[in-house]
């Protein structure tokens, strides 16, 4: 079975044969992703809240968006947003 694409912006795992995210059409997509969570009722889900997900769907937890080992880790990106980290000189 062929691995589906995931969106590099929102992490949405796309349907078979689809390689463009319907929610983030300009975002890169890739089949290089790891782990996933299924969100059924985002408004009632603590996981959806922590991951900043507001629509039902299957979401990758880690999406590797380029070959140089740089990756977008949805969990860490969201935690950084929630913590509102600020660097002080």
């Amino acid at each position: 079975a062929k691995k589906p694409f995931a969106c590099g912006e929102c992490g949405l795992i796309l349907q078979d044969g689809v390689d463009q995210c319907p929610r983030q059409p300009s975002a890169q997509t890739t089949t290089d992703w790891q782990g996933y969570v299924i969100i059924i009722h985002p408004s009632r889900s603590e996981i959806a809240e922590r991951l900043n997900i507001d629509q039902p769907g299957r979401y990758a937890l880690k999406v590797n968006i380029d070959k140089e080992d740089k990756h977008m880790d949805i969990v860490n990106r969201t935690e950084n947003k929630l913590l509102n980290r600020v660097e002080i000189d």
Side-chain angles (χ1 to χ4, degrees):
K2 196 172 181 183
K3 193 172 186 179
F5 282 86
C7 177
E9 284 293 317
C10 67
L12 180 68
I13 299 172
L14 308 177
Q15 294 179 358
D16 289 341
V18 176
D19 65 357
Q20 183 180 28
C21 180
R23 300 177 191 170
Q24 305 281 335
S26 62
Q28 284 184 291
T29 60
T30 182
T31 58
D32 188 6
W33 54 269
Q34 298 171 330
Y36 70 93
V37 62
I38 298 171
I39 302 296
I40 297 171
H41 298 288
S43 62
R44 298 188 338 215
S45 169
E46 287 183 38
I47 294 171
E49 183 178 337
R50 286 187 146 235
L51 298 179
N52 201 25
I53 294 170
D54 62 2
Q55 296 182 19
R58 291 187 310 156
Y59 294 86
L61 296 176
K62 182 185 280 188
V63 179
N64 299 308
I65 54 174
D66 58 32
K67 305 258 184 213
E68 299 173 17
D69 237 3
K70 294 178 183 174
H71 66 272
M72 180 193 75
D73 185 327
I74 303 246
V75 174
N76 288 338
R77 186 183 73 164
T78 303
E79 285 177 356
N80 287 339
K81 276 187 191 176
L82 292 173
L83 294 174
N84 195 18
R85 294 184 180 173
V86 177
E87 290 186 28
I88 301 173
D89 292 330

